[in-house]
Amino acid sequence: MRKAVIPVLFVFSLSANAQEKKAADTTKTTDIQEVVVTSLGIKRQARSLTYSSQQIGGDELTEVKTPNLLNSINGKVSNVQINRTNGVGSSVRVIMRGNKSVNNAQPLYVIDGIPIINGTGKSADIGQYSNMPDPGDVLSSINPDDIESINFLKGASASALYGSAGGNGAILITTRKGRAGKSSIAYSSSFTVERAYSLPKLQHSYLSYDPSISGQQPGQAVDSWGAKGASKDYLKDFLQTGTTWVNSLSFQSGNERSTSYFSIGNTTNKGVVPMSYFDQYNVSFRNSSKFLDDKLTLDANFIGSLQESKNRQTPGASFSPLTSLYWLPRGVDFDQYGPNNYFYLDKTRFLPAQNWWEVNPDGSFKGNPVTQNPYWILNRNPVTVSNKNTYGALSLSYQINPWLTARVRGNYSWNISDSQRDIAAFSAPSLLANGINGRILKNTYENSSTYGDVLLIGSPKISESISLDFTVGGSINTTRNKIGQIDNAYLANPNLFTLNNLQWNVNRAPGDGYHNTYTNMKKQVQSVFASASVGYKNMFYVDMTFRNDWDSTLALTGRTGFDYESVGANAILSSIFKLPEVINFWKVRGSYATVGLGLPTNITNAMVEYNKGYVYGVDAGTLVYPKSSFATGAGFEALLPKPELNKTFEAGTELRLLNNKLNFDITYYNSNTSNQLLETTIPSNLGGLFPGSYYINAGKIRNTGFESSLSYKIFDSERFGWTATVNASANKNKIVELFPSRLPIPEEQLFSLAGGGDYTRLKLGGSFGDLYGIKFKRDDQGRVLVNEKGVPLAEGTPSYLGNPNPKFIMGFNNSFNIGKLGISFLIDGKFGGKVLSLTEKANDLYGVSQATADARDAGGVAIPNAVYAPGTPNAGQAYTGLTNAKDYYKAVGTTEGFGKGIDEAYLYSATTVRLRQASVSYTFDLNSKYLRNATVSLVGTNLFFFYKKAPFDPEQVSGNTPGGVGVDSFGLPVTRSIGLSLKANF
């Protein structure tokens, strides 16, 4: 197969799994007879698959590098929604075929056929007072150069053999290994520079005071509703040019009996915010050896990484240096509070004290919420994140006879995330939580997983017409989670941020920092499974799988396990009928699967009174009891905890035309996930169920949609090649059922999603992630009601605003080769949805946004379709005047959080179309004694938007949580990166 100079993104699902070939070749498969790798690392013929999958080769991941390899996939795989969190090294939120679960909608990650736990620390939420950043995940620590290919199994049928862990689909990662007969060294390096753009539009034409009035001066007021005047834009000077340097060195060698691959890598990032950095070191080793006349194969793999970061951006206003500059009263000279003058020596305590315009002479702060000197935040309120990840796997495979193989495998993965924020004395009192010597916030999350399985894999020859592939086996998967959280504002010695400097036996005030929780959780799943694929004359195939899991999370529920099945069939129409020559291959397929999902670890302890105190652990010596319990009384058996159940149907077709130049794949799917674990309050007695807070298994979430991919080799020669690829998908999500009809819970009852800060909620008939907030008060005709001054009125209770998830996603990739010159670019768009900006809401309140200046210049704010409210002198009459800008923005804007201001004024379209990445490369074939070839590339990511109406990037989220989507809470600005990369093969 001829190698392309520029790897072509593979978008054709069923033929995309050839993981035994070189990465550049795996992106496009033209031989439908090829053996592919599927669930559990089992090899199958591509033509026999009855479900949709999609793969990209490793070269696609490294063509334009990003520190987290999953960010490189955005726009390249249909119906995979990827959301970034804040900064380099942060985790990535991946949703395939829509949100399915209120507890866990993330896919399963698999390395070389064996599942791993993509462990993370405590995810940040969208609250204004968040105090810790997103800590990152295991996938963010894997070196993209170590990846041979990534395969996306998006449906339950494809991942059914992985059991409950694969209920949301699976992402199969195949790592590189050495090649027989070759000893080589490869070095790659990329250096990019990043600049923030698409910043909030701020005004610098109105001051915070009136110079013409005697006694007024900068810094007296916390907002900027003063006189006309010019002020300096300090934000652009504060943000710096970031840099990212990624280096990787790999060695591989081998013969027919043994191959080895070893690599080391390093990523160093200096962020766009001063004093923020990220360092990562990677190591990877894989060996494959054969023994006993090549019947016994040993495959061993190790991956390890160390990460250190400082001052990763935290959502919310409390610890954001950018917010302090957004809200800086216009006219205040920020230069006098710069990096060399952000503190002074307090002569009473001989400690550094904060130098800031908002600090009064008595040490009190003026604003609410307060801001701090950005350099004080970075130096005296720093946050550090330290992550360590290790993964080791061993596989033994013995070929019993030509058609039967036994395999024993196991892996161990361990990761720990340690985050700590130090809050020095003389910080804002609200952040010190009644402490005077400082405060420590520390989160430690340690996750480990031990997995082992035994497989018997066979392909006996039944007859010339009938083929059979089967797998039977069993597995044990044990996970452990140790969580420690410390919050202490009682330091014995000021500004000494060590654990042995903390005091616990002190008299405490309500609301102060005083927590020391520790939780140790263990979960085990024991499983048996089987699969079979029967084919007839290479024209018809039927797939069947069965799996039963015994899950420890179901302890005390009266049941110990659950089973699920899948069945699929396909027909190769091009083999059955004589079709026109233009059609090279045509297949139709369909499948149905039921997959379960266990409960959160330890939660069923709440069913037994004696065990309740051990559900969450101990806090500073005090047992922590759960807020909610289970309905265990007679007659409420239907409400007892049970596994989630995902029932999925999918059907699709695959076409190859014009000598395999044109490839097309389309899939329709319908999934229903029931038995969601919800937490709700029962307000009144219900036949023996007393009022209180309960966990209830109910709710059904439906996702329907399609995903398609089209790839066309427009030109295909060594002198000039052009391949265009389009991915397109749409998903519709609906909450079909929320709470059981037998419970007296109103249909309008809302359920808050974790991490959503009350803004994202579920409601019967709505969609996952719906945004709720305060809207304009309107009359029966939908007209906005204003008071006698023309100031709009607000509704008293939150209501539905919109949904942030895109209705349609499309990626358009083009790859050209002109001799040895390669050019590629990727445009992707997400269409539909609404997002909310808390940043703009606060900026308007303080009069620092450009919108407030424009309104003042225009003489006020025009409110379309408005009438005077009842009770005003002109009640019912149309309001056509201009509302005083300050009065208007003081009404709609706020910094007080959920339920204040008017959120509807800050809704924006979530639609974006961007140039995601581009590269221009040239390959030098040197064929010297030591250097075989080298490729030099000019690369760029997130270069610009063709279309964006929101004042922030709707793709960015605060944390990897179910509810953390669609709300901008003072997040990191969009960054554009441009740089050079080098790949050399020795």
Side-chain angles (χ1 to χ4, degrees):
M1 181 179 180
R2 186 171 59 228
K3 299 177 183 176
V5 175
I6 297 297
V8 178
L9 167 65
F10 182 71
V11 298
F12 191 57
S13 65
L14 293 188
S15 62
N17 299 320
Q19 300 182 7
E20 297 300 308
K21 302 181 70 181
K22 187 175 182 294
D25 296 333
T26 60
T27 57
K28 184 67 65 179
T29 303
T30 56
D31 184 2
I32 198 62
Q33 303 293 340
E34 244 183 270
V35 174
V36 300
V37 178
T38 60
S39 294
L40 297 175
I42 300 168
K43 295 181 179 180
R44 295 270 307 277
Q45 276 195 337
R47 68 186 295 137
S48 72
L49 300 183
T50 61
Y51 49 77
S52 171
S53 69
Q54 193 168 345
Q55 174 180 292
I56 62 174
D59 286 357
E60 280 289 331
L61 301 174
T62 57
E63 183 179 22
V64 181
K65 285 187 178 180
T66 59
N68 190 318
L69 64 91
L70 290 177
N71 283 324
S72 304
I73 296 165
N74 231 326
K76 297 179 181 179
V77 184
S78 65
N79 217 352
V80 176
Q81 185 178 343
I82 298 176
N83 295 98
R84 299 176 294 108
T85 55
N86 283 302
V88 174
S90 298
S91 63
V92 174
R93 181 179 184 270
V94 179
I95 299 295
M96 300 195 292
R97 292 186 178 178
N99 294 276
K100 304 178 185 68
S101 172
V102 301
N103 296 305
N104 177 28
Q106 293 285 299
L108 172 70
Y109 295 92
V110 180
I111 296 180
D112 297 326
I114 308 178
I116 68 165
I117 302 298
N118 188 31
T120 60
K122 183 179 181 181
S123 294
D125 59 33
I126 61 178
Q128 187 169 327
Y129 304 102
S130 295
N131 51 41
M132 298 294 261
D134 179 275
D137 55 18
V138 172
L139 268 296
S140 67
S141 69
I142 294 181
N143 184 357
D145 286 306
D146 294 337
I147 305 301
E148 182 80 15
S149 63
I150 299 182
N151 191 19
F152 292 81
L153 305 181
K154 290 171 276 189
S157 297
S159 59
L161 271 184
Y162 284 115
S164 61
N168 297 313
I171 296 179
L172 311 184
I173 299 172
T174 300
T175 62
R176 295 188 188 277
K177 58 183 179 180
R179 299 182 181 277
K182 291 184 179 180
S183 294
S184 62
I185 300 174
Y187 171 72
S188 69
S189 179
S190 70
F191 181 81
T192 57
V193 295
E194 291 89 29
R195 289 292 296 175
Y197 74 108
S198 191
L199 296 163
K201 295 181 179 179
L202 304 175
Q203 66 90 6
H204 301 284
S205 57
Y206 286 90
L207 304 174
S208 61
Y209 68 107
D210 190 341
S212 65
I213 300 177
S214 176
Q216 287 200 8
Q217 58 185 2
Q220 284 184 320
V222 298
D223 52 31
S224 297
W225 290 104
K228 190 86 172 177
S231 62
K232 186 178 177 181
D233 183 359
Y234 295 104
L235 178 63
K236 291 184 178 179
D237 293 336
F238 177 79
L239 292 170
Q240 62 185 15
T241 298
T243 60
T244 301
W245 194 13
V246 182
N247 291 282
S248 180
L249 182 65
S250 66
F251 308 83
Q252 62 174 336
S253 64
N255 52 42
E256 295 300 325
R257 292 296 180 87
S258 180
T259 62
S260 296
Y261 174 87
F262 174 75
S263 76
I264 55 175
N266 168 248
T267 299
T268 300
N269 170 264
K270 182 184 74 173
V272 296
V273 174
M275 301 189 64
S276 62
Y277 70 83
F278 171 84
D279 281 326
Q280 175 175 288
Y281 296 90
N282 304 83
V283 62
S284 174
F285 174 76
R286 186 174 181 182
N287 175 267
S288 297
S289 300
K290 295 180 179 180
F291 307 92
L292 304 180
D293 296 328
D294 295 344
K295 291 186 176 182
L296 179 66
T297 301
L298 169 68
D299 195 352
N301 193 5
F302 175 81
I303 300 173
S305 68
L306 298 174
Q307 291 181 345
E308 297 286 341
S309 69
K310 184 175 182 179
N311 287 328
R312 185 178 295 172
Q313 184 76 0
T314 299
S318 296
F319 294 100
S320 171
L322 303 184
T323 303
S324 298
L325 290 169
Y326 295 163
W327 299 347
L328 183 72
R330 301 307 186 248
V332 170
D333 181 12
F334 178 67
D335 291 334
Q336 64 180 308
Y337 305 108
N340 298 318
N341 198 29
Y342 67 90
F343 73 94
Y344 64 92
L345 184 64
D346 178 74
K347 296 181 180 180
T348 60
R349 302 190 64 191
F350 295 100
L351 293 174
Q354 187 170 178
N355 183 28
W356 189 228
W357 70 268
E358 199 172 2
V359 181
N360 293 313
D362 62 357
S364 62
F365 283 74
K366 299 175 183 177
N368 184 24
V370 302
T371 66
Q372 299 190 106
N373 189 314
Y375 293 103
W376 178 272
I377 294 173
L378 297 171
N379 287 277
R380 300 296 179 180
N381 299 160
V383 60
T384 57
V385 180
S386 175
N387 293 338
K388 300 179 179 68
N389 303 291
T390 61
Y391 168 83
L394 189 67
S395 174
L396 281 172
S397 181
Y398 184 78
Q399 186 175 350
I400 300 172
N401 57 44
W403 58 267
L404 186 64
T405 300
R407 185 179 300 167
V408 179
R409 306 179 305 178
N411 73 3
Y412 177 76
S413 58
W414 174 87
N415 63 81
I416 185 169
S417 176
D418 189 347
S419 306
Q420 180 170 321
R421 183 179 292 279
D422 303 334
I423 306 175
F426 290 97
S427 296
S430 60
L431 305 180
L432 285 170
N434 296 314
I436 61 172
N437 288 340
R439 180 184 179 191
I440 285 182
L441 298 168
K442 186 178 182 67
N443 295 331
T444 304
Y445 280 68
E446 182 179 358
N447 308 295
S448 65
S449 172
T450 305
Y451 175 90
D453 64 24
V454 178
L455 305 177
L456 195 62
I457 305 168
S459 300
K461 183 176 181 180
I462 306 301
S463 69
E464 293 297 329
S465 300
I466 300 175
S467 64
L468 171 65
D469 297 285
F470 71 85
T471 301
V472 294
S475 67
I476 297 179
N477 191 5
T478 303
T479 59
R480 293 176 175 85
N481 309 99
K482 299 177 182 179
I483 304 170
Q485 294 180 282
I486 293 176
D487 181 354
N488 190 296
Y490 296 98
L491 278 63
N493 298 291
N495 295 348
L496 179 59
F497 300 102
T498 61
L499 298 186
N500 61 359
N501 190 44
L502 302 180
Q503 301 178 88
W504 295 105
N505 296 320
V506 293
N507 293 324
R508 310 193 308 274
D512 63 0
Y514 190 92
H515 296 286
N516 186 2
T517 63
Y518 175 77
T519 305
N520 190 344
M521 299 182 292
K522 178 182 177 181
K523 171 184 176 179
Q524 186 173 94
V525 179
Q526 302 173 1
S527 311
V528 293
F529 44 81
S531 70
S533 176
V534 180
Y536 178 70
K537 290 186 176 181
N538 289 332
M539 297 187 296
F540 300 97
Y541 293 90
V542 176
D543 273 355
M544 294 166 287
T545 70
F546 170 84
R547 177 164 176 142
N548 196 95
D549 282 356
W550 292 273
D551 193 331
S552 66
T553 64
L554 299 177
L556 308 176
T557 66
R559 60 186 301 175
T560 57
F562 44 94
D563 62 84
Y564 19 77
E565 301 79 29
S566 72
V567 60
N570 71 37
I572 314 299
L573 301 183
S574 52
S575 296
I576 301 172
F577 305 105
K578 183 175 178 57
L579 301 175
E581 291 186 2
V582 69
I583 301 177
N584 304 108
F585 179 79
W586 186 9
K587 178 172 75 173
V588 293
R589 62 178 185 265
S591 63
Y592 178 81
T594 61
V595 179
L597 183 65
L599 297 168
T601 308
N602 283 20
I603 199 169
T604 55
N605 281 335
M607 297 184 64
V608 180
E609 192 70 29
Y610 176 79
N611 291 333
K612 283 185 177 181
Y614 300 95
V615 177
Y616 295 113
V618 178
D619 185 358
T622 302
L623 285 178
V624 177
Y625 287 87
K627 184 181 71 174
S628 301
S629 59
F630 287 93
T632 57
F636 297 101
E637 290 80 8
L639 304 181
L640 290 177
K642 58 181 73 70
E644 286 186 15
L645 186 62
N646 179 8
K647 299 180 179 180
T648 297
F649 167 78
E650 71 172 70
T653 188
E654 174 184 349
L655 275 165
R656 298 186 177 200
L657 310 168
L658 305 175
N659 293 322
N660 293 314
K661 288 185 176 181
L662 179 63
N663 298 333
F664 176 68
D665 187 293
I666 188 168
T667 302
Y668 165 83
Y669 61 88
N670 182 311
S671 73
N672 289 274
T673 307
S674 56
N675 299 335
Q676 304 281 333
L677 185 66
L678 305 177
E679 192 173 7
T680 188
T681 299
I682 305 297
S684 59
N685 190 293
L686 177 63
L689 187 61
F690 296 102
S693 184
Y694 292 92
Y695 294 113
I696 294 176
N697 264 117
K700 180 184 291 185
I701 298 176
R702 176 180 299 158
N703 285 278
T704 57
F706 78 91
E707 58 201 27
S708 62
S709 54
L710 175 69
S711 179
Y712 183 40
K713 288 185 177 180
I714 301 172
F715 296 99
D716 185 21
S717 70
E718 291 188 0
R719 290 188 175 183
F720 180 68
W722 176 15
T723 299
T725 300
V726 177
N727 294 301
S729 62
N731 183 78
K732 183 178 181 181
N733 181 284
K734 185 176 181 180
I735 311 300
V736 179
E737 177 186 316
L738 198 54
F739 298 107
S741 58
R742 63 173 299 182
L743 295 183
I745 300 176
E747 287 190 1
E748 61 271 13
Q749 176 80 29
L750 300 177
F751 171 78
S752 295
L753 287 172
D758 288 331
Y759 289 97
T760 54
R761 303 186 176 191
L762 299 182
K763 182 183 178 182
L764 183 64
S767 297
F768 196 101
D770 283 345
L771 297 176
Y772 281 77
I774 301 298
K775 301 179 74 171
F776 289 106
K777 194 171 186 178
R778 302 175 186 270
D779 64 8
D780 294 339
Q781 300 180 43
R783 297 175 295 183
V784 176
L785 297 177
V786 300
N787 64 16
E788 62 277 5
K789 293 184 178 181
V791 177
L793 304 181
E795 291 284 357
T797 57
S799 55
Y800 173 75
L801 296 174
N803 188 282
N805 294 303
K807 297 179 180 178
F808 181 73
I809 302 175
M810 185 178 73
F812 178 48
N813 195 30
N814 284 267
S815 296
F816 303 86
N817 68 279
I818 306 171
K820 297 177 182 179
L821 177 68
I823 302 172
S824 70
F825 64 88
L826 171 64
I827 298 171
D828 79 284
K830 295 179 172 65
F831 302 90
K834 295 289 185 180
V835 290
L836 174 67
S837 176
L838 302 184
T839 306
E840 292 296 314
K841 194 176 178 183
N843 290 350
D844 283 354
L845 173 74
Y846 285 123
V848 296
S849 66
Q850 185 60 45
T852 63
D854 293 341
R856 281 175 272 189
D857 291 341
V861 179
I863 305 176
N865 195 28
V867 297
Y868 286 100
T872 60
N874 300 314
Q877 296 183 21
Y879 175 71
T880 57
L882 295 177
T883 303
N884 177 270
K886 183 176 181 180
D887 292 339
Y888 176 85
Y889 287 110
K890 288 283 186 179
V892 299
T894 188
T895 61
E896 296 183 40
F898 183 73
K900 303 294 183 180
I902 301 180
D903 298 296
E904 186 181 0
Y906 300 98
L907 275 182
Y908 304 92
S909 169
T911 297
T912 58
V913 180
R914 77 183 80 200
L915 180 58
R916 172 74 63 180
Q917 67 180 43
S919 70
V920 179
S921 64
Y922 190 84
T923 300
F924 300 88
D925 288 327
L926 303 176
N927 292 318
S928 66
K929 183 177 180 180
Y930 298 107
L931 181 61
R932 290 187 290 120
N933 57 64
T935 301
V936 179
S937 305
L938 174 66
V939 299
T941 59
N942 230 17
L943 292 170
F944 59 85
F945 289 91
F946 295 101
Y947 181 91
K948 180 175 76 74
K949 293 297 184 182
F952 63 100
D953 185 356
E955 188 176 279
Q956 183 166 298
V957 296
S958 296
N960 197 345
T961 60
V965 179
V967 181
D968 169 38
S969 182
F970 311 97
L972 193 68
V974 185
T975 57
R976 173 192 294 118
S977 66
I978 300 175
L980 293 171
S981 73
L982 167 68
K983 298 179 181 179
N985 295 306
F986 298 88

